[in-house]
Amino acid sequence: MTTEPVTAEAGRDFIRDIVQADLSSNKHSRIVTRFPPEPNGYLHIGHAKSIALNFGIAQEFAGKCHLRFDDTNPTKEEQEYIDSIQADVHWLGYDWGTDLYYASDYFDRLYDWAEGLIKTGDAYVDDQSQEEIRVNRGTLTEPGKNSPFRDRAVDENLDLFRRMKAGEFPNGTRVLRAKIDMGAGNINLRDPVLYRILHAEHPRTGTKWSIYPSYDYAHGQSDAIEGITHSICTLEFEDHRPLYEWLLDKLPVPSKPRQYEFARLNLTYTLLSKRVLTQLVRDGHVSGWDDPRMPTIAGLKRRGVPSAAVREFVKRIGVAKANSVVDVGMLEFCIRELLNKTAQRRMAVLRPLKIVIENYPEGQVEELEAVNHPDDPAAGTRKISFGRELYIERDDFMENPPKKFFRLSPGNEVRLRYAYFIKCTGVIKNDAGEVVELRCTYDPATKGGNAPDGRKVKATMHWLSAAQSMPAEIRVYNQLFANPSPSAANFAVDLNPESLEVLPDARIEPSVASDNSGEVMQFERQGYFVRDKDSTPGKPVFNRTIGLRDTFAKEVGGKG
Ligand code: ATP
Ligand code: MG
C-alpha cells in the first residue's frame, strides 16, 4: 500500500471530500474503512466498485481498510465463498493486511448488548408469527400496529431471550425486536428485528448459537467495535441510517462510525444480484461462478480481463449519489484499451478453410518474420512457417462476393500477412455443395507482403500453415443477456441463446499452443484471447476475452 496523502490528481468524489475534511479538521487522525461482504456468493463487478472505493480511500489517505465477513446467516454462507472473496480482493490488487474480521467474532458482545437493550426497556421478545409481524408492520402509507407482546416486563423478556439463546424454541416462534416506534414514517424504525431463532450450524461458531443477529443489528455494532470511521455502503441502506444511529446511541459502543451511501453499480446487459447469479449457477445456465460470461470477478479473471482494466473502469465511472446504469461498452472499452497496449500479437484461424498453393514447391517450409507488437519494437519478432498447404479464415472467402467484399474470391488477389500475395484459382466442394478447399497461386516476388511493381491489394488476411499449426478449441463469448435491461424477476427469458459459441477446430501457432504464461494475446483480426483452465496437453482451449472493435471496418481496410 502507498502511504502518500492524496493529491489533486487523484479521482475525487463526495466521499473522498468528506474524508479529506474529517482529516483536515482533526475529527479523525486516521481513516478506517471496511469492505463487508456476506459470504453467500462470489464477488461481482459491483463489489469491485465498493472494494476500490473502500480500499482506495484507505490507500490514498494513509488509513486502513478491513475485510469483514458479514456472516450472520449460516443457512446461506459457505467456506468456498469466504475463500473466493479473499482471492478476488487480492486479484483486484488490494490487501487488508492483518485486518481480517468476521461479524461472528462479535456474537458474544452483540448478545450482551442485546440483553442491555432489554434491561433499559429498548427491546422486547415478540411471539407473533413472521406473517403477523409483516402484516402489522404497516405500509408506506399506513402506520404499523403495536405487537400484543410489546409491553412485556423486562424480566419476562430477559427470561425468554435467554431461553431463545439456549435453544428452547423452534425456528420462527419468537424474535427480539427493538422498541422504537410502530408509527414511524421510516419503516426501518418500526420495531426492527434484532435477533431471530435459527437452529443452524455456523461455519465458525458451530452449534453454539440458536439465535443469530439481523444485518441491521450486527452491521453497525461491528463497525463500532472495529473503530470504522467511515462506513460506506450503497444507497438502499440510506433509510437504514436512522436505525444505525439509534443503535449506536443506545449501546455502550467503543466508537461512533458514520454511514455514507453511494450509488451502486448497474450495468447494461448484466444482472448483479447475488440471488440471480446463484440461480444461474444452480440451474446450469452457466458452467459455474467463474464462467467467463458471468459478471463475477472470477468470471472476468477467467475470461482474461486484467485487473488493471477493472480498476480503470471503476475509476472512470466515479462515485455518485444518484443511481444510474453504466453502458457495459464502457467496461469493454477499458479492457480493449489496456490489452491493445499489453497483448502480444499472434495468428489463429478460428474457422479454418484449407487452401493449397499450387505453384509452391511440395515439402518446402519457409520461416517468415512476424512482429509481436506493432507499437512496441521491444516485444521483438517471431518466426512463422509458410508452406504449400495453409488455413485461412472461412469468412475471408466468398465464391460470389458482393461489391464491397475485398477479401479472397475467385480471381481476386489478397495479401497473406507477413508472407505473399495470393490469388484463388479453384474451388473444391463436397457433395452438399459446401466449399471444402481452395486452390490458389502465389507470387514469389511479393515476399514479405509487397509487390515490387507497386500493385496494391485491398485486404490483408491472417493464415497458418496446415502442417506447422496446432489444433485448439476456441470459446467465443457474447453478452449473457440479450436484453439491455434484463429482468431480475424473470431473467431466464432474457438469456442470450448465443452467449457462447464453441469453435472446436481452430488452429493456432505452435508457440501459442505451448504457452502457459496465462497472458492475454491478440489473435490478429479476431480479438484478445487467453488460455482456459479446461486445456489439456493435446487440446488447448482459449477464451475470447473481447473482440476487436469495429471488426467489419478492419476487415475491409485489411489491417490487423
Ligand atoms: P445482494 O445482491 O444479496 O444485495 P450484495 O451484493 O449487497 O448482496 P454484500 O455481500 O452485502 O452483497 O455486498 C458487500 C458490499 O458490496 C456492500 O457494502 C454492498 O453495498 C456492496 N455492493 C454490492 N453490490 C454492489 C454494486 N452493484 N455496486 C456497488 N457496491 C455494491
Ligand atoms: Mg447486501
Side-chain angles (χ1 to χ4, degrees), residues 16 80 126 159 188 197 200 233 236 242 352 509 554:
R16 286 174 165 90
E80 177 190 351
D126 193 350
D159 173 61
N188 292 294
I197 299 172
C233 62
E236 64 272 23
E509 293 182 29
K554 284 206 193 258

Side-chain angles (χ1 to χ4, degrees), residues 35-38 44 46-47 49-50 232 234 262 264-265 272-274:
F35 174 64
E38 182 181 353
H44 55 60
H47 294 119
K49 177 176 179 179
S50 177
I232 304 167
T234 39
F262 71 101
R264 66 192 291 120
L265 171 66
L272 295 178
S273 138
K274 270 197 261 185

Side-chain angles (χ1 to χ4, degrees), residues 199-318:
H199 294 272
E201 190 166 338
H202 187 283
R204 292 177 59 85
T205 58
T207 53
K208 175 172 175 187
W209 295 93
S210 304
I211 54 172
Y212 289 94
S214 63
Y215 170 86
D216 281 317
Y217 182 57
H219 196 86
Q221 286 34 264
S222 302
D223 284 345
I225 290 168
E226 291 176 19
I228 302 300
T229 56
H230 298 76
S231 178
I232 304 167
C233 62
T234 39
L235 279 175
E236 64 272 23
F237 293 102
E238 197 169 5
D239 289 346
H240 296 235
R241 188 173 359 116
L243 173 56
Y244 185 97
E245 289 174 353
W246 185 89
L247 286 163
L248 291 178
D249 274 349
K250 292 281 178 188
L251 294 169
V253 288
S255 79
K256 304 250 170 172
R258 289 286 307 269
Q259 174 181 304
Y260 299 95
E261 306 89 16
F262 71 101
R264 66 192 291 120
L265 171 66
N266 299 299
L267 268 183
T268 57
Y269 293 99
T270 310
L271 286 171
L272 295 178
S273 138
K274 270 197 261 185
R275 180 187 60 78
V276 171
L277 299 182
T278 306
Q279 228 171 311
L280 285 168
V281 173
R282 297 232 169 106
D283 298 350
H285 294 297
V286 293
S287 65
W289 283 98
D290 68 349
D291 185 301
R293 291 165 294 179
M294 290 281 272
T296 51
I297 303 302
L300 292 167
K301 180 176 163 189
R302 185 167 172 195
R303 212 174 92 191
V305 174
S307 62
V310 177
R311 288 194 298 273
E312 175 62 22
F313 168 69
V314 166
K315 191 166 141 195
R316 277 177 194 247
I317 58 176

Side-chain angles (χ1 to χ4, degrees), residues 95-278:
D95 189 21
W96 51 89
T98 54
D99 293 302
L100 175 63
Y101 304 105
Y102 294 83
S104 57
D105 295 341
Y106 313 134
F107 280 176
D108 285 312
R109 230 176 312 180
L110 292 172
Y111 176 84
D112 290 344
W113 284 343
E115 282 206 353
L117 285 176
I118 293 174
K119 289 175 191 160
T120 53
D122 291 306
Y124 62 97
V125 172
D126 193 350
D127 300 358
Q128 292 182 103
S129 69
Q130 265 171 301
E131 180 59 14
E132 286 167 324
I133 290 178
R134 195 185 59 73
V135 169
N136 290 335
R137 187 172 288 133
T139 64
L140 286 175
T141 51
E142 277 173 67
K145 290 196 191 77
N146 283 357
S147 163
F149 305 96
R150 196 171 195 263
D151 293 317
R152 258 181 173 146
V154 167
D155 286 350
E156 189 186 356
N157 279 320
L158 215 45
D159 173 61
L160 285 170
F161 188 49
R162 287 178 182 160
R163 287 162 62 195
M164 281 166 65
K165 180 186 181 227
E168 265 187 50
F169 309 119
N171 286 355
T173 52
R174 287 185 170 84
V175 292
L176 182 74
R177 298 178 76 173
K179 196 175 194 172
I180 309 182
D181 179 5
M182 290 306 289
N186 183 340
I187 293 181
N188 292 294
L189 294 179
R190 294 184 190 168
D191 293 7
V193 171
L194 305 180
Y195 272 91
R196 60 206 189 283
I197 299 172
L198 193 61
H199 294 272
E201 190 166 338
H202 187 283
R204 292 177 59 85
T205 58
T207 53
K208 175 172 175 187
W209 295 93
S210 304
I211 54 172
Y212 289 94
S214 63
Y215 170 86
D216 281 317
Y217 182 57
H219 196 86
Q221 286 34 264
S222 302
D223 284 345
I225 290 168
E226 291 176 19
I228 302 300
T229 56
H230 298 76
S231 178
I232 304 167
C233 62
T234 39
L235 279 175
E236 64 272 23
F237 293 102
E238 197 169 5
D239 289 346
H240 296 235
R241 188 173 359 116
L243 173 56
Y244 185 97
E245 289 174 353
W246 185 89
L247 286 163
L248 291 178
D249 274 349
K250 292 281 178 188
L251 294 169
V253 288
S255 79
K256 304 250 170 172
R258 289 286 307 269
Q259 174 181 304
Y260 299 95
E261 306 89 16
F262 71 101
R264 66 192 291 120
L265 171 66
N266 299 299
L267 268 183
T268 57
Y269 293 99
T270 310
L271 286 171
L272 295 178
S273 138
K274 270 197 261 185
R275 180 187 60 78
V276 171
L277 299 182
T278 306

Side-chain angles (χ1 to χ4, degrees), residues 20 42 45-46 49 76 102 132 148 153 166 293 298 319 335 355 357 389 426 546:
Q20 179 67 73
Y42 279 57
I45 182 114
K49 177 176 179 179
K76 287 196 182 159
Y102 294 83
E132 286 167 324
R293 291 165 294 179
V319 177
I335 299 169
I355 70 172
I357 314 282
E389 298 195 356
I546 197 152

Side-chain angles (χ1 to χ4, degrees), residues 378-450:
T381 61
R382 67 191 188 282
K383 300 280 189 216
I384 41 176
S385 308
F386 189 86
R388 183 177 155 92
E389 298 195 356
L390 308 172
Y391 289 117
I392 62 163
E393 207 66 62
R394 193 162 275 278
D395 294 351
D396 281 339
F397 173 76
M398 282 186 90
E399 193 175 9
N400 300 300
K403 258 212 148 60
K404 286 208 165 135
F405 186 87
F406 300 118
R407 290 165 282 158
L408 198 61
S409 59
N412 186 40
E413 190 169 46
V414 299
R415 174 190 294 114
L416 293 182
R417 186 141 164 88
Y418 304 121
Y420 297 97
F421 286 9
I422 62 163
K423 257 186 196 170
C424 174
T425 53
V427 180
I428 298 174
K429 296 182 186 175
N430 62 14
D431 292 343
E434 296 156 349
V435 176
V436 292
E437 191 182 303
L438 302 178
R439 297 281 149 164
C440 298
T441 57
Y442 85 120
D443 178 354
T446 58
K447 182 163 182 172
N450 288 305

